[in-house]
C-alpha cells in the first residue's frame, strides 16, 4: 500500500490533466478509492488542471509563443523551496500543484493563451539572517533559488569605501564556493547581487571576507 501510494501520488498531476494511459489511470482510480490523502491532494490540484485543460494543445502548435524563460526557473525554484522546507520528507512529497505546473511546462502548454494565468514573472525571495562583528556594517540579504545555483541579494552599508570584499557560499559538505566580489561603499547603501553555482538545498550560508581574509559578515540559512 505504501509503495503504491508513493508511486501513484507522483501520477496525480498527470491524472488530473488526463495524460495517463489506461493502465495508469485504472491503477490511480483504484488507489484513490482507498487513499483519502491522495483524494485530498487531487482535490487541491483539480482547479489548476481544469484551467490548463482549457488550452487546446494541438491548435497552439508552432504558433504558440514560448513561455518566458523565467517560468521554468520559477517552477523549479518553487519545487526546491518546498524540498528545502520538507528536507526530512522524501522526494515524492512534492506538492501536487508544482507537479502539475511542471507537467504543463513539459507538455509545452501555451500558458500565455490562458487569460487567468498571471503574466508577471514570479520572483521568489527568501530572507536570511546576516550578522557580523563590525557594528558599522549593517546588512540584510535575500536568496533567489535558481536552477543553476543560489543568488544572494545583499543590501548593505558600512563596508569600507573602495575596499574589495569576497563572498563565498558555504555548503552542506563544508565547502566554501566563491559567489563573487564587491567594493565597499562606506556609509552609502549598496545593493549587490552575487551568484553561486551551489543549489539552494546544498547551501547552508554565506561568508563575506575582506582583502586580508578576515571574516566580516556571515549568514546561516
Ligand atoms: Zn495515496
Amino acid at each position: 500500500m505504501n509503495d503504491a501510494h508513493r508511486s501513484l501520488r507522483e501520477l496525480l498531476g498527470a491524472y488530473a490533466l488526463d495524460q495517463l494511459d489506461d493502465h495508469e489511470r485504472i491503477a490511480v482510480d483504484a488507489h484513490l478509492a482507498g487513499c483519502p490523502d491522495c483524494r485530498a491532494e487531487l482535490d487541491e490540484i483539480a482547479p489548476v488542471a481544469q484551467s490548463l485543460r482549457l488550452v487546446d494543445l494541438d491548435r497552439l502548435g508552432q504558433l504558440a509563443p514560448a513561455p518566458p524563460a523565467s517560468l521554468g526557473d520559477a517552477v523549479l525554484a518553487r519545487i526546491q523551496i518546498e524540498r528545502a522546507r520538507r528536507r526530512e520528507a522524501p522526494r515524492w512529497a512534492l506538492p501536487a500543484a508544482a507537479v502539475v505546473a511542471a507537467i504543463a511546462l513539459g507538455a509545452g502548454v501555451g500558458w500565455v493563451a490562458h487569460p487567468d494565468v498571471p503574466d508577471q514573472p514570479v520572483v521568489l525571495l527568501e530572507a536570511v539572517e546576516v550578522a557580523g562583528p563590525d557594528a558599522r556594517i549593517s546588512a540584510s540579504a535575500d536568496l533567489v533559488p535558481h536552477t543553476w545555483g543560489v543568488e544572494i541579494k545583499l543590501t548593505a552599508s558600512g563596508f569600507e569605501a573602495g575596499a574589495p570584499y569576497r563572498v563565498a557560499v558555504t555548503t552542506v559538505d563544508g565547502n566554501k564556493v566563491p559567489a563573487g566580489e564587491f567594493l565597499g561603499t562606506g556609509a552609502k547603501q549598496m545593493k549587490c547581487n552575487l551568484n553561486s553555482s551551489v543549489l539552494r538545498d546544498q547551501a547552508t550560508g554565506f561568508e563575506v571576507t575582506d582583502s586580508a581574509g578576515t571574516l566580516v559578515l556571515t549568514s546561516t540559512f
Side-chain angles (χ1 to χ4, degrees), residues 17-57:
L17 287 169
D18 215 3
Q19 299 280 312
L20 294 182
D21 65 33
D22 285 352
H23 288 293
E24 289 170 323
R25 190 167 37 75
I26 289 165
V28 172
D29 275 334
H31 177 73
L32 282 171
C35 182
D37 279 358
C38 284
R39 283 202 302 275
E41 189 141 2
L42 185 63
D43 283 347
E44 230 173 84
I45 62 178
V48 183
Q50 182 64 37
S51 47
L52 284 172
R53 258 194 299 204
L54 296 177
V55 179
D56 185 339
L57 291 182

Side-chain angles (χ1 to χ4, degrees), residues 93-112:
L94 292 181
V99 175
V100 170
I103 288 169
L105 281 178
V109 170
W111 72 300
V112 285

Side-chain angles (χ1 to χ4, degrees):
M1 176 66 191
N2 244 3
D3 280 349
H5 177 68
R6 282 170 206 163
S7 54
L8 292 174
R9 191 162 196 162
E10 287 188 331
L11 296 177
L12 285 178
Y15 177 87
L17 287 169
D18 215 3
Q19 299 280 312
L20 294 182
D21 65 33
D22 285 352
H23 288 293
E24 289 170 323
R25 190 167 37 75
I26 289 165
V28 172
D29 275 334
H31 177 73
L32 282 171
C35 182
D37 279 358
C38 284
R39 283 202 302 275
E41 189 141 2
L42 185 63
D43 283 347
E44 230 173 84
I45 62 178
V48 183
Q50 182 64 37
S51 47
L52 284 172
R53 258 194 299 204
L54 296 177
V55 179
D56 185 339
L57 291 182
D58 293 335
R59 287 184 56 199
L60 283 170
Q62 296 297 316
L63 295 172
S70 62
L71 182 62
D73 235 21
V75 169
L76 290 168
R78 185 80 240 166
I79 289 172
Q80 272 179 13
I81 286 177
E82 288 299 335
R83 270 190 189 158
R85 254 190 212 136
R86 309 177 183 194
R87 203 161 271 165
E88 303 308 314
R91 61 170 288 277
W92 54 82
L94 292 181
V99 175
V100 170
I103 288 169
L105 281 178
V109 170
W111 72 300
V112 285
H114 199 269
D116 291 342
V117 181
D119 58 5
Q120 293 297 313
V122 186
V123 178
L124 300 141
L125 292 179
E126 177 189 351
V128 292
E129 300 284 331
V130 286
D134 189 337
R136 287 168 302 178
I137 295 175
S138 125
S140 64
D142 293 296
L143 303 181
V144 187
H146 296 286
T147 51
W148 39 261
V150 73
E151 175 186 357
I152 301 160
K153 289 179 171 295
L154 180 65
T155 302
S157 61
F159 287 104
E160 189 186 330
Y165 293 87
R166 285 188 177 170
V167 183
V169 170
T170 50
T171 73
V172 286
D173 302 328
N175 294 322
K176 297 182 202 301
V177 179
E181 298 175 307
F182 62 86
L183 293 176
T185 56
K188 211 172 145 203
Q189 193 183 69
M190 55 160 239
K191 285 175 186 287
C192 181
N193 296 339
L194 301 140
N195 295 317
S196 85
S197 60
V198 182
L199 292 174
R200 174 62 190 91
D201 62 358
Q202 294 295 304
T204 55
F206 70 84
E207 296 180 352
V208 181
T209 50
D210 65 16
S211 56
T214 307
L215 198 62
V216 292
L217 200 70
T218 58
S219 174
T220 305
F221 305 161

